[in-house]
Amino acid sequence: MFAGAFDPYDVYSWNVQTGHLLQVISGHEGPLSCLAFTNDNLLTGSWDHNVKIHAIFSRKLNVENLEHGSQITAMAVHPSKKQVAISTMKG
């Protein structure tokens, strides 16, 4: 299970069966507003105007950064897992 936080600006991963914290993903400089998954990646969106791509199964964090001109408010991944739509405060 994954959850983002407003302060500190981290993503937390837990084992659902045991409740143990598995990892903390850092890198954003503003509150997390959304999380999305593709086949092998976790995408995190933040008010810091960035979407970060994390290769969670290979434990490569902050693999790619997609900078936008406004705060990220929501994301949706296409069923093919090859496209993502990103919504910002500026529309």
Side-chain angles (χ1 to χ4, degrees), residues 11 23 25-28 32 34-46 48 50-68 75 77 81-84 86:
V11 177
Q23 73 184 98
I25 301 170
S26 300
H28 282 288
L32 277 284
C34 50
L35 304 171
F37 294 92
T38 63
N39 291 335
D40 296 329
N41 297 317
L42 167 68
L43 288 75
T44 57
S46 170
D48 68 1
N50 293 290
V51 171
K52 294 187 180 287
I53 300 173
H54 313 277
I56 54 175
F57 294 116
S58 62
R59 298 208 180 253
K60 294 180 182 176
L61 307 179
N62 300 307
V63 172
E64 190 171 349
N65 185 53
L66 308 173
E67 189 171 343
H68 294 274
M75 288 187 288
V77 176
K81 309 287 187 193
K82 295 182 181 188
Q83 295 176 326
V84 61
I86 297 168

Side-chain angles (χ1 to χ4, degrees), residues 2-12 14 31-35 44:
F2 289 86
F6 271 16
D7 186 24
Y9 314 129
D10 296 331
V11 177
Y12 300 90
W14 287 274
L32 277 284
S33 56
C34 50
L35 304 171
T44 57

